[in-house]
Amino acid sequence: MTAILSNLQVIRLAIAQAAQAVQRDPAGIMLLAVSKTFPAEAVREAYAAGQCAFGENYVQEALDKIEALRDLPLEWHFIGPIQSNKTRVIAESFSWVHGVDRLKIAQRLSEQRQLHLPPLNICLQVNVSGEGSKSGVAPEEVEALALQVVKLPGLKLRGLMAIPAPADAPAAQRLPFAQMQRLLQQLNAHGLSLDTLSMGMSHDYPAAIAEGATIVRVGTAIFGVRTRPQP
Ligand SMILES: *Cc1c(COP(=O)(O)O)cnc(C)c1O
């Protein structure tokens, strides 16, 4: 058995256990395999092990892989920071974009989404308290942004995404995820109908599932430690 196959089996089991612990249906949790820095062959191997959704952070690297894997029915998610001069290729090549935190980027993605494609699925990135990275919209500004983004015809606003600062203890890991879940509930109470919480990575996905994650983005635990430098 290859490492990727056995890693996927371990993670699927852990997802099911984390879901059952809080009486959730594991079928409501999508595993997104984050393949950044790993070659197309690694993606092919994960696909052979039953994995269909893949996340990439860097546009050019992603485009090369998408091209090399055209023969497979894969679903590609863009999860990296978005530069405005890259929105066209992102809109043309991906099914989901997780890191939207500005109206201008959302407008460009909507305008540039080709008409023959279904609307691009969007998550708004939230800068939850203690978030390590600087990107993301402040929690108190999410609703105003969501109400604008939901109107854009080329997009389908699905929910929220976060990258909290790393924490070791599961109880500490759960705090920002719980905040995200409350935020999603608030938006839905105010008339939106969002179904996605994209949160949880290799070190904290069980905690994210405990707080309602519907997409967990897992790289290292599937493909191993990234050694190639990231651009
Ligand atoms: C790299 C990355 C991941 C995966 O992180 P791991 O710790 O390797 O599981 C998830 N989400 C985003 C936004 C990333 O950039």
Side-chain angles (χ1 to χ4, degrees):
M1 192 159 55
T2 70
I4 290 175
L5 171 59
S6 61
N7 289 343
L8 280 169
Q9 287 175 343
V10 167
I11 294 162
R12 286 176 190 141
L13 193 63
I15 289 174
Q17 285 170 344
Q20 271 147 20
V22 292
Q23 281 84 49
R24 293 187 58 200
D25 180 358
I29 298 152
M30 178 202 280
L31 172 60
L32 180 66
V34 177
S35 46
K36 64 180 175 209
T37 80
F38 289 96
E41 295 76 66
V43 173
R44 216 171 261 288
E45 204 175 314
Y47 174 76
Q51 178 65 33
C52 293
F54 293 88
E56 288 283 337
N57 289 54
Y58 311 107
V59 173
Q60 192 51 52
E61 181 196 340
L63 295 180
D64 292 346
K65 252 177 259 186
I66 291 170
E67 187 54 38
L69 296 162
R70 280 255 175 249
D71 55 313
L72 303 181
L74 305 179
E75 180 176 276
W76 292 99
H77 294 228
F78 190 77
I79 62 172
I82 308 160
Q83 294 166 316
S84 52
N85 62 346
K86 297 283 168 58
T87 51
R88 182 174 299 279
V89 278
I90 293 173
E92 288 171 354
S93 308
F94 289 83
S95 299
W96 284 73
V97 179
H98 291 235
V100 174
D101 62 1
R102 281 180 290 155
L103 182 59
K104 180 174 163 248
I105 293 289
Q107 285 168 331
R108 291 176 65 97
L109 290 170
S110 176
E111 282 160 18
Q112 293 166 345
R113 182 69 167 174
Q114 291 151 300
L115 290 174
H116 70 274
L117 294 174
L120 186 59
N121 295 294
I122 297 292
C123 291
L124 300 180
Q125 185 172 351
V126 182
N127 194 340
V128 274
S129 50
E131 179 165 355
S133 82
K134 289 280 174 286
S135 39
V137 59
E140 57 276 14
E141 287 161 14
V142 177
E143 183 165 345
L145 179 60
L147 291 172
Q148 296 292 314
V149 172
V150 79
K151 290 189 226 155
L152 299 172
L155 309 183
K156 183 166 171 57
L157 181 60
R158 297 296 298 267
L160 306 177
M161 177 270 210
I163 313 172
D168 290 330
Q173 290 176 350
R174 282 177 67 160
L175 293 174
F177 296 139
Q179 195 190 345
M180 290 290 289
Q181 188 173 37
R182 282 195 300 274
L183 205 49
L184 191 86
Q185 285 162 354
Q186 274 169 24
L187 297 180
N188 284 338
H190 293 180
L192 290 159
S193 47
L194 308 180
D195 62 8
T196 301
L197 276 176
S198 165
M199 57 191 197
M201 308 179 14
S202 291
H203 65 281
D204 58 7
Y205 70 89
I209 289 168
E211 299 294 350
T214 64
I215 301 182
V216 291
R217 308 178 311 266
V218 178
T220 309
I222 298 174
F223 296 106
V225 176
R226 289 179 288 274
T227 51
R228 274 210 284 151
Q230 298 170 22

